[in-house]
């Protein structure tokens, strides 16, 4: 999607939303890319107080919340056992009598929803319906029901717009696992459990097909709190979080706030991190280069942003802001050995404006010196941006661990179930494809963690 949109203009971008794309922006080839995944309070991270993305007026549903009334979201909620989540949450809000109590209630409710979604995917507790356990969509739609209820809430006490925004931000963080990353403490090198942080994304492009799932989000739910054994026999703990497909939230430091506690030096510092999003059909891509450019493709809120990736105030960064960042994931090893049914590709392509030039140029082997970014290997959408933000934060903190961005294959419905209007919300091929992608994500992470100890400090 990366360069196609630039060349076709607004009409082309509108037409592209009808295609079965993933979370990146348009690429220069016929293949499409996808992307689009906060720990602690501000005091724990050392950043300024958490900043919420600007919200609509109280009582006004967002573009995402407006989709809730459609038949597909309602069916997904009903068939997963999550249909009553928003109502139960609203009933609890009605009994809250102060802002302090509201903040505690909303924070706990968000974390409870995240834990419920993780437990469902990982096979704990009741399935709650006939929708397969591996599904990430119940979490997405249930969260929107809760944010809508919070936006419409009229408490007996005075609640300013700013405080309501703070409650919404707390609900978002808690229900995405962003404030519950719990890595084990360090012990003697060589014997301790390795630590990995992995992020995924919400479903997106839902105006074109409300049935869509995001395999990166499904993988995050399946992997959160799990332990894998590396080829050397060492154990590694994986903690995960999920991110919204919204430009405004990224500008409001949601990525940095989530990752910073795990990136800082200390007993819980990460040994490996991977941001993950949905990418091109039929393959995984390890994105070698990330670019400092937002291409403007509409997000889940139907908003566009174009320009240099904005770095939030109050977080560690590199000055002057670099046009490019690079992966430190062991791409040579991960592309050489089979990890599942899909090939894993080392993607070195970018789009740049060469030094002294004015016209974007596609480069298959990375940027040239002094060039300005117009797309990384992962495009110019939020998948590229999360990879850029995570690796920029890594560099600012001089964190010498493997880290970068991984694109999964596009999650596809069965051949007879491609129509977004007449098709079903799930089918055997859809479930099989999602489980295959999640299984290979686990294998890729295990392989990367097997290499990680030898890369540290280099």
């Amino acid at each position: 999607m990366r360069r196609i949109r630039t060349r076709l203009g607004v009409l082309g971008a509108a037409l592209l939303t009808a295609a079965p794309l993933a979370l990146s922006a348009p690429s220069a080839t016929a293949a499409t890319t996808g992307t689009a995944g906060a720990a602690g309070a501000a005091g724990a991270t050392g950043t300024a107080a958490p900043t919420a993305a600007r919200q609509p007026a109280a009582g006004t549903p967002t573009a995402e919340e407006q989709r809730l009334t459609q038949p597909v979201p309602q069916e997904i909620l009903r068939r997963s056992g999550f249909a009553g989540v928003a109502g139960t949450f609203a009933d609890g809000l009605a009994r809250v009598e102060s802002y302090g109590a509201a903040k505690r209630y909303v924070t706990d409710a968000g974390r409870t929803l995240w834990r419920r979604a993780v437990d469902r995917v990982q096979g704990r507790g009741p399935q709650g319906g006939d929708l397969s356990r591996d599904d990430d969509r119940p979490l997405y739609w249930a969260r929107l029901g809760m944010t809508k209820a919070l936006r419409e809430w009229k408490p007996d006490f005075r609640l300013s717009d700013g405080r309501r925004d703070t409650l919404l931000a707390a609900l978002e963080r808690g229900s995405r696992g962003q404030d519950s990353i719990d890595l084990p403490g360090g012990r003697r090198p060589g014997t301790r459990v390795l630590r990995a942080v992995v992020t995924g994304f919400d479903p997106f492009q839902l105006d074109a097909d409300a049935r869509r799932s995001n395999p990166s989000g499904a993988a995050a739910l399946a992997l959160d709190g799990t332990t894998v054994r590396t080829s050397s026999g060492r154990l590694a703990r994986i903690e995960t979080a999920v991110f919204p497909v919204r430009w405004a939230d990224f500008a409001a430091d949601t990525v940095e706030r989530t990752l910073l506690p795990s990136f800082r030096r200390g007993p819980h510092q990460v040994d490996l991190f991977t941001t993950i999003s949905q990418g091109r059909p039929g393959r995984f891509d390890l994105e070698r280069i990330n670019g400092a450019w937002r291409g403007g493709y509409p997000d889940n809120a139907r908003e566009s942003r174009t320009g240099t990736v904005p770095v939030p105030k109050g977080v560690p960064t590199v000055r002057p802001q670099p046009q490019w960042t690079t992966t430190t994931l062991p791409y040579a090893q991960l592309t050489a050995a089979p990890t599942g049914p899909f090939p894993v590709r080392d993607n070195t392509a970018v789009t740049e404006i060469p030094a002294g030039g004015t016209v974007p140029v596609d480069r298959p082997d990375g940027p040239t010196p002094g060039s300005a970014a117009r797309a990384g290997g992962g495009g110019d959408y939020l998948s590229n941006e999360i990879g850029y933000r995570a690796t920029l934060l890594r560099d600012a903190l001089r964190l010498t661990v493997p880290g970068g961005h991984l694109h999964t294959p596009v999650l596809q419905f069965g051949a007879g179930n491609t129509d977004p209007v007449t098709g079903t919300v799930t089918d055997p091929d859809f479930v099989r494809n999602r489980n295959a992608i999640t299984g290979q994500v686990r294998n890729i992470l295990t392989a990367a963690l097997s290499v990680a100890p030898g890369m540290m400090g280099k």
Side-chain angles (χ1 to χ4, degrees):
M1 286 174 53
R2 181 175 69 245
R3 295 304 307 149
I4 294 174
R5 190 188 62 259
T6 302
R7 290 167 183 162
L8 295 185
V10 176
L11 177 59
L15 293 173
L16 283 167
T17 61
L21 302 174
L23 188 52
S24 296
S27 111
T29 68
T32 56
T33 0
T35 338
T45 64
T47 70
T51 304
R54 188 172 61 184
Q55 302 287 345
T60 304
T62 66
E64 289 182 280
E65 292 162 359
Q66 290 171 20
R67 300 185 184 104
L68 270 168
T69 58
Q70 298 175 8
V72 165
Q74 291 302 307
E75 181 179 351
I76 289 170
L77 290 169
R78 184 178 66 254
R79 293 179 61 182
S80 62
F82 280 57
V85 167
T88 300
F89 175 69
D91 290 344
L93 272 179
R95 295 190 292 271
V96 171
E97 297 180 348
S98 70
Y99 173 70
K103 193 169 184 179
R104 290 189 295 273
Y105 175 74
V106 167
T107 300
D108 289 345
R111 291 170 178 168
T112 297
L113 178 62
W114 171 257
R115 182 48 49 195
R116 178 175 173 179
V118 168
D119 285 347
R120 185 179 190 275
V121 169
Q122 295 186 13
R124 293 183 291 271
Q127 185 165 329
D130 66 341
L131 206 62
S132 61
R133 282 188 177 268
D134 55 284
D135 208 314
D136 61 305
R137 298 172 296 176
L139 171 63
Y140 175 73
W141 293 112
R143 181 193 302 115
L144 287 174
M146 293 171 71
T147 58
K148 183 174 183 290
L150 181 53
R151 212 178 301 281
E152 294 173 345
W153 179 43
K154 297 178 181 179
D156 292 333
F157 57 91
R158 182 179 179 277
L159 181 66
S160 67
D161 289 345
R163 284 192 162 186
R164 192 185 299 268
D165 288 351
T166 298
L167 295 177
L168 286 162
L171 178 57
E172 287 276 345
R173 289 194 300 273
S175 63
R176 296 180 175 281
Q178 293 175 359
D179 64 358
S180 57
I181 292 175
D182 185 22
L183 295 171
R187 293 199 299 273
R188 186 163 53 87
T191 63
R192 66 172 176 79
V193 174
L194 296 172
R195 299 175 290 256
V197 169
V198 175
T199 70
F201 272 99
D202 286 348
F204 65 107
Q205 293 186 321
L206 299 167
D207 286 332
D209 191 344
R211 303 175 302 157
R212 283 180 172 149
S213 162
N214 194 319
S216 69
L221 291 171
L223 292 170
D224 187 51
T226 63
T227 300
V228 297
R229 188 176 295 276
T230 69
S231 60
S232 67
R234 292 184 67 179
L235 297 178
R237 170 73 171 262
I238 301 171
E239 289 286 314
T240 72
V242 171
F243 285 93
V245 184
R246 296 190 297 251
W247 295 109
D249 293 71
F250 275 52
D253 81 5
T254 184
V255 174
E256 292 83 0
R257 188 172 59 248
T258 300
L259 297 179
L260 188 53
S262 302
F263 280 21
R264 285 197 185 279
R265 185 181 301 277
H268 301 278
Q269 188 179 57
V270 74
D271 296 306
L272 178 143
F273 68 90
T274 308
T275 58
I276 305 179
S277 62
Q278 181 176 236
R280 303 167 180 88
R283 71 178 194 243
F284 281 87
D285 283 286
L286 284 163
E287 305 299 354
R288 185 86 73 88
I289 308 292
N290 313 291
W293 184 257
R294 300 176 137 193
Y297 195 74
D299 62 13
N300 275 354
R302 303 192 186 106
E303 294 183 353
S304 299
R305 296 286 187 274
T306 303
T308 300
V309 170
V311 177
K313 294 181 179 179
V315 300
T317 192
V318 178
R319 296 296 183 194
Q321 182 178 351
Q323 287 293 299
W324 310 99
T325 64
T326 60
T327 189
T328 47
L329 290 171
Y331 52 85
Q333 293 92 333
L334 295 178
T335 56
T339 51
F342 301 99
V344 181
R345 177 186 177 221
D346 172 21
N347 185 25
T348 59
V350 301
T351 301
E352 66 174 16
I353 296 180
T358 59
V359 179
V361 176
D362 294 334
R363 301 283 188 190
D365 297 319
T368 56
S371 65
R374 284 303 176 267
D380 57 8
Y381 198 37
L382 288 162
S383 57
N384 168 76
E385 183 160 330
I386 196 170
Y388 178 84
R389 289 183 180 277
T391 50
L392 182 64
L393 186 63
R394 173 205 65 197
D395 294 346
L397 294 170
R398 295 184 172 88
L399 179 62
T400 55
V401 303
H405 189 79
L406 174 70
H407 265 124
T408 75
V410 173
L411 177 58
Q412 297 175 320
F413 288 95
N417 187 31
T418 57
D419 191 289
V421 177
T422 62
T424 59
V425 300
T426 190
D427 62 56
D429 288 343
F430 187 64
V431 173
R432 185 163 47 250
N433 290 337
R434 186 164 50 209
N435 282 325
I437 293 170
T438 293
Q440 191 161 350
V441 167
R442 182 183 287 106
N443 293 342
I444 290 170
L445 289 171
T446 302
L449 284 160
S450 296
V451 178
M455 296 181 65
M456 294 172 194
K458 296 183 179 180

